[in-house]
Each structure stands twice: as structure tokens, then as C-alpha cells.
Amino acid sequence: MHQPQLPPRFGLLLLASLALGAAAQAQAPVHGTLQDAAGQPLPFATAVLLHLPDSSVASVQTADAQGAFRFETVAAGPYCLKALLLGYRPQHYGFTVTDQPLTLPALRLPSATTALAEVVVEGRPPVLEQHADRTVVNVDRLNTAGDNALEVLRRAPGVTLDKDDQVQYRGSGSVLVLIDGKQTYMSGAALSNYLKSLPASAISQIELLPNPPASLDAAGTAGVINLRTRRSLRPGLTGTATATGGYGRYEKGSGGLNLAYNAGRLRTFGRVDLTHSNSFNNLDIRRQIRDTTFAQQKYWHPVYNGLNYAAGVELPLSPRQTLGGQVRGALDRTTALSTGTSMATAPDGRPVSTVSLYNPSASRSTDRALNLNYRLALDSTGRELTADADLIQYRSRMDQSYQVTSSAPAAAGALGGQQRSDQGADVVIRALKADYVHPAAGGWRAEAGAKTSWVTTCSFLNFEQLLDEQWQLDAPRTDRFRYDEIITAGYATLGTTWRGLELKAGLRGEHTHSVGASATTGQRVVRNYFQLFPTLFASYKIGEHDQLGLSAGRRISRPSYQSLNPFVTYTDAYTALQGNPFLAPSLARSLVLNYAHRNFQVLSLSYLLETNVVSQVAYQNDQTKVTTTVRQNLDRALTLTLTSGGHTDVSPAWGMDNELEGSYNAVTSRLQGQPVQLRRFALSASSNHTVRLPRGYQVLVNGSYGSPSVQGLFYTRSYANLTLGAKKLLWRERATLSLRLSDVFGTSRFRSIMDYNNIRMSWNNQWESRRLSLSFTCKLGSGSTHTGRTRGSADEESRAGH
């Protein structure tokens, strides 16, 4: 019988993969679509592949946004497809698999005429699911009472937060964060604040993609993190309501409503969340400047109030055409008071000087985004064309005042007396993209697409000083900055399956033209460059339960828009932050090798080499005692990671998810003409336990540990965390009451050392990690929830924040 032939370029890869196991039996891909009674797609319905005649489960797939499912490698034999979706009657279809690709006829599910009194799910998804190109974290299996999206993200494997609460993945801060496959168009502090305003109850899954496909933007040298939100597909009005209260040192609270209304062919959703957080951050810094020791203590007390919302509609124009639109946004207000002291002591311990800072501030930001999308199914074989248009506006403002009291005259370049500042940024992003999918005979599948984006950002900083009881402009510290960027991209991918081996290769090209200009300093930086980004995926199924996966790619990370402007801002009298208009993009090569057995990640080996990596670099003026942190390109950063972990059922009532990770980090560069090298082996581990008790009770225990490691130019110290919780299912599992005590021993903190050239600094950063939270979640209606449809564009929004 004729078999599909692989091109010569795949020959070596095929031989290497086949050498890893015995030849598999005849296998072929099986795909199809799930529809309602009217022939409309049923997105995110469940397709269950059953062996015949014993009806044992061979595989389970979730249909995509167009109702399509695909089982990549199915062994020859008789099967039954079972289609499930709450609100619809299950349907079955029998068929036989040979060694040829099989397309099943569309399976239609009629609406259920009676409400389901109770649904019992026998198989619960594990915390971690391993796939060929990604790791999926099922948030429902975590105890997230009182958490926000940022705190949940911190618990994902390979994800950490730096000293400024900014997301790190695979040891790098160059990561692209998406929500439902769509850019947040924020980074840094803006992204952190947005994720803090989004409650954990709104998140269904976290997808970790170290080597994303060519259809996604090439941004993010460490990879992509995609947060999938919840939506309901039940006809009529359905959803969830959540209320949470918590207390650590100060009070906290949040409330949210997530609704969907589906009527016939019309699907709509809406979500709104309110968050209040009263918290603190205590930072101790010690600096050694020649023979003088500076001990700095800073207490930051922010009160945050935020609103986060999203709404969307999908309207089929015809059986093969769908028009959709989404709006989302966030508003936040923060008032904060920072107080601090900086004491300088001589070698004999004698105080030399003392500086005190009183620094109240008020900040506000607004984020608005509009997406329009169109889908055209060209035929029933899976050929389709999609298009998206995005418009995003982001605005931030901050007012601060500084009152500095010193026992000695202020040094040149340091804050002194009374000063005030107001700063802001306005970012506008426009993006257009189109994608085409073309399945072909013999199990081949081709994709192609194009995208263009245009970004404009305008920033300002005004500084004034009180002199002779009058506010006067501080011209050297005042600036205006404008940045324009146009990115044009195109991509193509080609994939196939053959005897248990799945291959996919892609190539993406991106051209960037940017201009950054400072009105005050006269600096103007123009960049014009083109880069190619190849990707390769290979997956080989060894028998029924073992799978070997390989992914490789090249990626880029462009500096955030605000990090390019040359403004100087102050965190205390002797510590400043400054942007860098000369930052170049970072480039990376990445390789990941996975071996999984029954969804347990037996071994995962990750290689990440970044060049021109952007990092915070501290420069110290030994005369003025002022330390200025500037974002700068380092020569290279290498991260090697070895991971093992997965789900284990100790008993029918006790399940646990464990992960163990070992890593090696090395950073090398030249700073101020001197070579700098940081190298260290590190170990981290996490363990999540869920014990189900009678009468709907659950006990949850989570523990994690991280050894000393390297993070940029920081040597970080070890950390540990123990969290305890309990849940009670109410009203036939339609409501959940959750109690959680996080960080029982108060050991979650950021401790680090920076030691190079004339820099000798140590940090001890403590926040309100230990707190008690009580959360109540209630289902409205009787629908099921699914993860959100992937929409929108790519890299630009993630760079809009600071």
C-alpha cells in the first residue's frame, strides 16, 4: 500500500527518531468537526476516542474554536468517537482506522431538552499536562483562593518573579505573555498591575510554550506564556460569580462576574472584576562604597483599586463565515507612601550621615483594546482564512513629591530638599493580520500568514524643585520622548505525520523600522533591520503510552517602549532608575527535548542561549554616592534546565503533582571595560497535594523550594513556601467555599547580592506573602466553561508598560 513519502530534509531526523524505539504498528491521523443541530461549530466540545470492542479510552481531545478536533497518531483498528458538551446530547460514531489519514463526517449534537441535575466527572485533569510543544497547567486543580493571576502564574513550572514583581520564564525576563492567545500589549510594572487586577478564578489554564510556532510573533526570547480565561457555552444566560476577602497585615478583597449569553447562532460573553489591595513592601539594601557602608531601609505602603473588564460577540454570518469582536480594558488607581532612611557609617561603625525620605505618590492607568475578527471556512476539509484588526490605547500618569532631610548637604546628582514630579505615557498600537490554513492529502498541513503593526508612544517627565518658597523647573531632569515603530512580518509552516512521527517546520520573517527621539537631550536613534526565525517540531510516539518530543527555534525580544526613553526617576535620595535609547533587541536560540510516559514528564531538557540580553545594570558614582540602575545589553546568558515531574494518584482520594528541576545559569559580559561572569547550579522543587474527603470536603497542601541561583546580574538566595488550604463543595457542586493560608512561615521573599566592578550591594525584599483568604464561587445556570478563543496580534502590547 502506498505510504506518504518524507522530503529528503527530514531523512536524518526520521532515522534518529526511529532509532529510539521499535517500529510502531500502522498508524494514521483522524480528524473531524463537531456541530450543533443547525450545523454550526461547537467550539471546545470534547471528542473521546474509544477502543472497540472494550470501549476503553484511547485519547481525549478538546475541539478548537471552529469545532475541529484532530488525533495525530491512531493505531489501526476499530474505534468509536464519542462527542460531549454540556447542554447537548452525546453522540457516537463508529469507524475503522487503517494506515491512511481519515476525515470523519461532521458529528451533530442535538440540544438537551432537559436540564442536567448533576454531572459527575470521573477523570479529573492533572495539574500539569505535557504536550509536544507546550506544558499546560490546569488552574482548577490548584488552591487559588484569594489569588490573582500574577500569583497563580508564579506557581507555574519554570516561572518566577524578580525583585520588582516582573515575570521571569526559563531564567529570563524576555517572555511574551498572552491572554486567550492575544497580546496584553503591556510589560514590566504595567503588566504586573494588570495581572494583579485579574482574579485567579477568571483563569482556566496556563500554557507554557518554550518554542512557539511560526504563526505567533517571534517576540520573547524565553518563549510564550498564554493565560486562557473561562467562558460558558450553555444556551441561555450562564456564568460564575466570585467574592474573596483576605487579610495579612492589611485588608484585601475582590469580586467578579463572568457571564455568557448564547442564543441560537449568537454567542456573547462578558466579564468584570473589581480588586482592592492594601499591602506593604519592606526593602533593605546595603551598599559598600570604598570604606563607607550605606544601610538603606525603605517601606512602601500602596493601596490599589482596580477594574478589569472584557466582552465579546461571535456572530455566524453564514454556515462558513463568522464575524467577531472583543473589547477589554483595565483601570487602576494606586496611592502609596514610601518612607526611607539611608545611614552611612565609617569602618569603625561611627555614623557619617543620615538621609530621610518622605515620598507620597498617586498613579493611575487606563488600558483599552478593541479587536475585530473574521473567519471563512473555505470547505469541509479544514481550509480556512482568518483576519484580525486590533486597536489598543494605553495611558499612565504618576504624581510624586519628595521631601529629603539630611544631616549633611546633598551631593551633586542626589535628591535634596523638596521636589515634585509628574510623568506619563501614551501608547497607541494598530495591528492587522491574516492567516490561512490548508490541509493536504497524505497527512500534510500548510499554514501561512502576514501581519503589520504600527506603534506610537509619547512620554513626558516634569521635575520641579522648591526654591525660595517657589516651585521652579528642574530642567536637567525634565524630558519628552517619542518612539515610533513599524513591524511587518510573514510566515509559512508545513507539517506531516508518518508512522507515529509528527513533524512541523516553520519560518517567520520580521522587518522592523523604529525611531526614538528625546526632545530635551536631542538624542535620536533609528533602527532598521530584518530577521528570520525558523522553528522545528518533532514528536514520536513510542508505543501506546510513551512519547518523545523535540522543539527548536530562534526568537527575538525588543526592548519595552518605556525602557528606551532616557528619563531618570528616583526610588530614594541615592538610588535612581534610567532608560536607555540605545538598547538593541535580544536574540535567542532555544532547544527543548521531552520524554513523557502516560502524561508524566519523565525528562525535559531545555537549552536557551540569549545574546544582547537586556538586564538591569547598576552604576555607582563613588563621589556622589548615587547608584543609577540602567537597562543595558549584556553579551550573553546561557540557561540549561533539566526537569522531571507529573501527576501521581497515591490512592483514589489522594492525588499529588510533583516537579523537580535542576538548572545551570551563566551570564558573561563586559561592563565599564571589565569582564563580568556569573555562574551557578540551582535546584527547585514543588509538590501539590489534594485529598478528597467525604461530604464534599478537600484538603490542599502546596510546598515549594528554590536554591540560590543567578538572575541577570543578581546572585539570588534560597526561598521556600508552604501553603495550606481547604475546600467545601456546596449545592451539588454548584458552589465552592475555599479557605487558604499562604506562606505559613513567611519565607517567601527576594534576597540577592550584586557584586562586580565597584558594586557591592545586597537586597532583602519582603512583601505581604503570608495572609489568610476566604473565597466563594458560585455557578450561574448549568453550562460548562471552556478556554477562550485565540484572537488578536502579537508582540507590541507586551512592551507598552515600563
Side-chain angles (χ1 to χ4, degrees):
M1 183 175 292
H2 174 71
Q3 297 290 341
Q5 297 299 312
L6 291 176
R9 62 181 178 275
F10 291 133
L12 291 177
L13 180 59
L14 174 60
L15 292 175
S17 299
L18 290 176
L20 295 173
Q25 60 179 318
Q27 296 174 324
V30 176
H31 58 91
T33 57
L34 304 179
Q35 302 175 351
D36 61 17
Q40 297 301 310
L42 287 177
F44 310 105
T46 301
V48 183
L49 185 63
L50 304 173
H51 284 290
L52 292 180
D54 60 358
S55 294
S56 61
V57 177
S59 184
V60 180
Q61 289 282 333
T62 300
D64 63 17
Q66 290 76 49
F69 63 89
R70 182 180 179 90
F71 299 99
E72 294 294 349
T73 52
V74 181
Y79 293 88
C80 175
L81 177 71
K82 183 177 182 180
L84 302 168
L85 183 63
L86 278 179
Y88 296 86
R89 290 201 295 270
Q91 295 295 300
H92 300 76
Y93 181 79
F95 58 94
T96 299
V97 175
T98 64
D99 59 353
Q100 294 295 314
L102 180 61
T103 301
L104 302 179
L107 194 60
R108 295 191 175 188
L109 282 66
S111 296
T113 56
T114 58
L116 299 176
E118 182 177 5
V119 177
V120 178
V121 180
E122 295 294 342
R124 299 182 57 187
V127 171
L128 298 179
E129 293 183 34
Q130 303 296 335
H131 300 275
D133 63 340
R134 69 194 64 196
T135 299
V136 178
V137 181
N138 292 296
V139 177
D140 282 340
R141 291 297 308 275
L142 301 174
N143 183 6
T144 59
D147 273 355
N148 55 50
L150 186 66
E151 291 168 319
V152 172
L153 192 55
R154 185 204 297 261
R155 296 167 65 178
V159 179
T160 59
L161 301 181
D162 67 8
K163 64 182 180 64
D164 300 315
D165 265 355
Q166 298 182 18
V167 178
Q168 306 270 316
Y169 178 45
R170 300 174 69 195
S172 171
S174 300
V175 55
L176 182 62
V177 178
L178 311 178
I179 295 181
D180 291 332
K182 189 181 186 308
Q183 287 276 355
T184 59
Y185 288 96
M186 291 174 285
S187 66
L191 176 61
S192 296
N193 288 336
Y194 179 84
L195 295 177
K196 288 176 182 178
S197 73
L198 189 65
S201 59
I203 304 298
S204 173
Q205 292 180 330
I206 301 173
E207 295 180 335
L208 306 170
L209 294 87
N211 290 307
S215 56
L216 293 178
D217 286 15
T221 51
V224 168
I225 298 175
N226 185 29
L227 305 180
R228 291 197 173 272
T229 59
R230 305 177 190 276
R231 295 181 199 161
S232 175
L233 287 174
R234 174 78 174 170
L237 182 65
T238 56
T240 58
T242 303
T244 300
Y247 195 86
R249 182 178 295 184
Y250 304 103
E251 82 286 347
K252 291 149 190 63
S254 65
L257 191 62
N258 191 346
L259 298 175
Y261 181 74
N262 304 314
R265 293 163 43 176
L266 177 68
R267 303 189 188 280
T268 63
F269 75 91
R271 173 182 54 79
V272 61
D273 300 289
L274 295 170
T275 303
H276 168 77
S277 177
N278 188 354
S279 61
F280 80 93
N281 186 291
N282 194 25
L283 175 64
D284 291 332
I285 302 177
R286 293 184 65 86
R287 295 191 295 153
Q288 187 70 36
I289 305 177
R290 294 181 179 175
D291 59 351
T292 303
T293 300
F294 273 75
Q296 299 170 250
Q297 292 183 327
K298 181 180 178 182
Y299 184 82
W300 183 48
H301 183 184
V303 180
Y304 170 86
N305 292 283
L307 168 69
N308 191 302
Y309 62 89
V313 60
E314 292 184 12
L315 176 63
L317 302 178
S318 70
R320 291 186 177 179
Q321 296 184 82
T322 303
L323 181 65
Q326 295 184 21
V327 294
R328 69 157 180 82
L331 299 90
D332 66 72
R333 301 289 185 271
T334 301
T335 58
L337 176 61
S338 296
T339 57
T341 59
S342 180
M343 178 178 292
T345 57
D348 59 1
R350 175 177 47 85
V352 176
S353 65
T354 301
V355 178
S356 300
L357 173 68
Y358 181 83
N359 173 213
S361 65
S363 63
R364 55 207 180 275
S365 68
T366 304
D367 173 38
R368 295 189 295 264
L370 171 66
N371 168 261
L372 297 176
N373 55 83
Y374 171 78
R375 170 181 171 267
L376 172 63
L378 298 174
D379 54 32
S380 60
T381 66
R383 290 197 305 132
E384 69 174 31
L385 178 68
T386 59
D388 286 85
D390 289 278
L391 175 64
I392 299 96
Q393 294 178 318
Y394 175 76
R395 166 173 288 195
S396 64
R397 298 290 186 270
M398 174 181 281
D399 300 317
Q400 295 189 80
S401 63
Y402 307 86
Q403 184 172 343
V404 180
T405 304
S406 177
S407 61
L415 285 178
Q418 286 186 263
Q419 295 185 324
R420 67 184 184 185
S421 70
D422 69 282
Q423 65 185 92
D426 293 284
V427 181
V428 180
I429 302 167
R430 312 99 171 156
L432 296 171
K433 67 187 288 278
D435 300 276
Y436 174 69
V437 177
H438 186 99
W444 291 87
R445 178 183 174 92
E447 301 177 27
K451 179 194 169 182
T452 184
S453 64
W454 175 26
V455 179
T456 301
T457 175
C458 298
S459 307
F460 69 88
L461 172 63
N462 297 319
F463 237 100
E464 294 181 324
Q465 187 171 11
L466 186 63
L467 298 174
D468 299 327
E469 298 184 352
Q470 290 186 348
W471 288 105
Q472 298 183 19
L473 183 68
D474 190 342
R477 292 191 174 111
T478 299
D479 200 0
R480 300 287 185 274
F481 183 77
R482 178 185 173 101
Y483 180 79
D484 290 277
E485 178 185 81
I486 297 176
I487 299 176
T488 305
Y491 75 91
T493 67
L494 183 64
T496 188
T497 57
W498 187 77
R499 290 183 177 269
L501 178 65
E502 178 186 355
L503 293 168
K504 184 177 181 179
L507 182 64
R508 185 180 184 92
E510 294 187 352
H511 177 267
T512 304
H513 175 76
S514 64
V515 179
S518 170
T520 303
T521 65
Q523 291 176 313
R524 189 172 187 270
V525 180
V526 179
R527 294 192 182 275
N528 195 48
Y529 55 91
F530 176 79
Q531 294 281 349
L532 290 174
F533 305 98
T535 57
L536 176 66
F537 302 89
S539 177
Y540 181 65
K541 194 169 184 179
I542 310 171
E544 186 69 22
H545 304 297
D546 297 85
Q547 181 169 302
L548 183 67
L550 172 70
S551 66
R554 184 174 186 263
R555 300 187 61 77
I556 189 172
S557 182
R558 300 175 181 88
S560 68
Y561 307 130
Q562 295 307 307
S563 67
L564 291 167
N565 72 60
F567 296 175
V568 179
T569 58
Y570 292 84
T571 58
D572 61 44
Y574 286 93
T575 308
L577 304 173
Q578 184 175 11
N580 181 3
F582 299 100
L583 280 176
S586 305
L587 294 170
R589 288 174 288 175
S590 174
L591 178 70
V592 177
L593 177 66
N594 289 309
Y595 172 62
H597 174 74
R598 288 184 179 272
N599 206 43
F600 190 97
Q601 188 183 67
V602 179
L603 185 67
S604 177
L605 178 62
S606 168
Y607 166 88
L608 177 65
L609 177 62
E610 298 175 273
T611 57
N612 276 341
V613 59
V614 176
S615 179
Q616 292 184 344
V617 179
Y619 292 93
Q620 182 171 277
N621 188 318
D622 291 349
Q623 305 302 320
T624 65
K625 318 301 184 187
V626 175
T627 298
T628 303
T629 299
V630 182
R631 289 196 177 273
Q632 184 172 317
N633 292 108
L634 304 182
D635 292 344
R636 55 180 279 164
L638 173 67
T639 303
L640 298 174
T641 306
L642 189 64
T643 307
S644 180
H647 179 79
T648 303
D649 286 316
V650 181
S651 71
W654 179 9
M656 64 179 181
D657 293 85
N658 300 311
E659 184 184 58
L660 181 64
E661 178 180 289
S663 64
Y664 171 75
N665 301 91
V667 177
T668 59
S669 189
R670 293 188 66 85
L671 298 175
Q672 295 177 310
Q674 299 295 319
V676 175
Q677 293 186 346
L678 287 80
R679 298 175 181 174
R680 178 164 287 179
F681 289 94
L683 180 70
S684 64
S686 66
S687 185
N688 292 276
H689 298 256
T690 301
V691 180
R692 292 182 290 278
L693 303 176
R695 305 181 65 85
Y697 286 96
Q698 295 181 12
V699 176
L700 302 101
V701 180
N702 167 257
S704 61
Y705 167 80
S707 72
S709 64
V710 169
Q711 193 177 98
L713 294 176
F714 292 92
Y715 280 112
T716 64
R717 296 180 177 177
S718 61
Y719 68 89
N721 182 295
L722 177 65
T723 296
L724 305 176
K727 285 186 178 181
K728 167 62 175 173
L729 303 179
L730 306 169
W731 307 339
R732 293 186 175 181
E733 301 189 9
R734 295 187 54 79
T736 304
L737 186 66
S738 302
L739 180 68
R740 192 178 75 144
L741 177 61
S742 59
D743 194 17
V744 175
F745 300 108
T747 50
S748 266
R749 59 184 63 190
F750 182 88
R751 299 177 301 158
S752 65
I753 297 172
M754 184 177 283
D755 187 356
Y756 61 87
N757 295 352
N758 65 335
I759 300 294
R760 305 289 185 274
M761 302 179 69
S762 66
W763 275 262
N764 188 348
N765 193 3
Q766 181 184 9
W767 56 88
E768 200 174 10
S769 58
R770 181 167 52 190
R771 61 183 186 273
L772 185 67
S773 302
L774 182 66
S775 178
F776 177 77
T777 300
C778 178
K779 297 179 181 178
L780 307 175
S782 56
S784 65
T785 58
H786 68 84
T787 54
R789 178 181 175 186
T790 299
R791 289 257 54 94
S793 56
D795 162 47
E796 298 74 24
E797 188 173 353
S798 66
R799 299 158 56 208
H802 294 276

